[in-house]
Amino acid sequence: VGIAVGFGAQRLPSHRRRRDLVEISKALERSPRDIALHLEKAEATMSPRARMRVLRAAEKLAPSDYIVWARLLELLAAEGFPDALSSQLEHTWARLQALEEQGLLSGRQV
């Protein structure tokens, strides 16, 4: 099932109704370290720069979360921030190499 729906699909269940920013913010007050809530807030936020701030906050909380990395890279590419995208790609690549050196990823995965 995990392969069929994709990596990380359990993060934001599609059957759950969409919450507004106020509801998500209240949930984040109760669980500020919940990365899934940060991702949900980023999806619900309209401004690209506000979405970027939310994703950067999630990145600080979970620096090894691949989903956060991917969402941030997608946002930078979609919104046309080439310098920030290039910088983030370099940063992400350095992290992947560090994880490989620590033995947490294989060279093939990187």
Side-chain angles (χ1 to χ4, degrees), residues 11-90:
R11 291 255 182 177
L12 296 172
S14 59
H15 63 277
R16 186 188 326 170
R17 71 172 179 84
R18 286 192 151 313
R19 296 188 280 187
D20 63 22
L21 281 174
V22 173
E23 290 176 296
I24 298 167
S25 295
K26 285 180 183 177
L28 270 170
E29 287 175 14
R30 291 187 303 272
S31 303
R33 300 191 62 78
D34 188 334
I35 299 304
L37 287 174
H38 285 273
L39 293 173
E40 186 178 0
K41 185 175 181 176
E43 290 297 317
T45 303
M46 298 304 288
S47 161
R49 294 202 186 271
R51 289 176 65 203
M52 194 176 318
R53 282 192 300 274
V54 171
L55 290 171
R56 293 244 186 246
E59 183 181 35
K60 286 180 184 176
L61 290 172
S64 297
D65 192 306
Y66 304 120
I67 301 300
V68 174
W69 296 356
R71 297 274 173 88
L72 188 53
L73 291 171
E74 286 172 352
L75 174 64
L76 293 171
E79 296 300 326
F81 296 115
D83 294 338
L85 177 61
S86 176
S87 175
Q88 188 66 31
L89 280 169
E90 288 177 20

